[in-house]
Amino acid sequence: MSAGRLPAVRGLIVSCQALEHEPLFGGGTMAQMARAAEQAGAIAIRTNGVDDIRRIKNVTALPVIGLIKRDVPGSAIFITPTLDEVEAIVEAGADIVALDVTLREERDVTARELIRYIHSCGRLAMADVSTLEEGWAADRMGVDYIGTTLSGYTPYSLQSEEPDLELVAQLKRRVRAGVIAEGRIWTPAQAAAALEAGADYVVVGSAITRPQLIAARFVEAVRAAADSTGGGESHG
């Protein structure tokens, strides 16, 4: 495969991300997560922020999908919203730049111009979308990969607790770019189902690298079971 491009073999991309308010933020923890993911057989890493991009590039040979999450006043676009973030991601050494390519509102620099800039730097572009219409638009802009990352995060997309496998299937039938299933994938069975739906790659993040969310699911299940069996104090 060419430098930075995802391998031809279909496989798992592990999202190693921690925001500032989360317990695993900083200190190289996400780089260690990336090493563990590589040992497990992941074919690429997706990560947020300049520091983690650099650290992960230093400890793994896997392609790195980089993004920067930043709030912009008056805008709903959160993932790599401006040229400043794109430049920082490229400078940090990411092989692929992920950015929001939804149809919510225009940026000061359009998504098409950002994609053109990414390609001019010799990097690849991944469009995070929420609907088939957005996937079509991103494909026409010339992105290399399209992810279902934002399905459920825009008010007009599918609101569900389950992965949007129908969007995966629709994109696979209609676009030229590689299709990446991402979002609400919590089990190996769901990851396998995404490939069966037509995904070229599957991104799993929270179910692997965000222990506070993994633990919360167990806590919720245990509390529900305790309530259903009458509660009471433990004698252990």
Side-chain angles (χ1 to χ4, degrees):
M1 75 182 171
S2 60
R5 183 170 291 277
L6 298 179
V9 61
R10 301 161 80 199
L12 175 69
I13 300 168
V14 175
S15 181
C16 300
Q17 298 185 42
L19 298 177
E20 290 186 14
H21 65 278
E22 296 180 333
L24 298 190
F25 178 78
T29 305
M30 289 301 108
Q32 299 306 313
M33 286 282 191
R35 288 183 63 198
E38 183 177 27
Q39 289 181 10
I43 56 91
I45 303 295
R46 178 173 161 117
T47 195
N48 169 47
V50 166
D51 289 343
D52 281 338
I53 292 169
R54 287 176 175 155
R55 288 176 175 135
I56 290 170
K57 287 295 294 183
N58 283 335
V59 301
T60 177
L62 296 179
V64 171
I65 303 170
L67 60 127
I68 293 177
K69 293 178 176 178
R70 184 169 76 85
D71 288 311
V72 176
S75 173
I77 293 179
F78 182 55
I79 297 175
T80 315
T82 75
L83 181 60
D84 288 343
E85 286 76 52
V86 172
E87 290 176 336
I89 292 166
V90 169
E91 176 68 22
D95 304 283
I96 302 165
V97 179
L99 69 162
D100 180 315
V101 189
T102 59
L103 302 177
R104 288 178 286 188
E105 74 275 332
E106 279 296 347
R107 302 164 159 92
D108 291 338
V109 178
T110 67
R112 185 183 297 275
E113 291 170 318
L114 293 179
I115 293 161
R116 187 179 300 120
Y117 177 80
I118 292 165
H119 286 156
S120 75
C121 296
R123 311 302 167 88
L124 304 180
M126 175 179 174
D128 291 340
V129 307
S130 68
T131 66
L132 178 60
E133 181 184 9
E134 291 169 349
W136 278 339
D139 202 45
R140 292 194 297 271
M141 293 177 199
V143 297
D144 304 279
Y145 304 104
I146 299 173
T148 59
T149 319
L150 293 173
S151 174
Y153 289 92
T154 59
Y156 48 81
S157 60
L158 178 68
Q159 306 298 306
S160 173
E161 295 299 317
E162 299 295 318
D164 194 348
L165 299 186
E166 179 58 29
L167 178 57
V168 170
Q170 291 174 339
L171 288 169
K172 186 60 179 177
R173 291 193 298 265
R174 307 290 183 85
V175 302
R176 169 205 60 82
V179 175
I180 300 177
E182 181 173 4
R184 303 186 297 275
I185 299 173
W186 279 97
T187 69
Q190 289 174 328
L195 282 184
E196 292 167 1
D200 297 296
Y201 309 96
V202 179
V203 172
V204 179
S206 297
I208 296 175
T209 60
R210 299 178 81 184
Q212 74 277 13
L213 298 184
I214 300 167
R217 292 171 72 88
F218 281 94
V219 168
E220 182 180 357
V222 169
R223 283 177 177 168
D227 291 342
S228 69
T229 55
E233 294 184 2
S234 169
H235 298 284

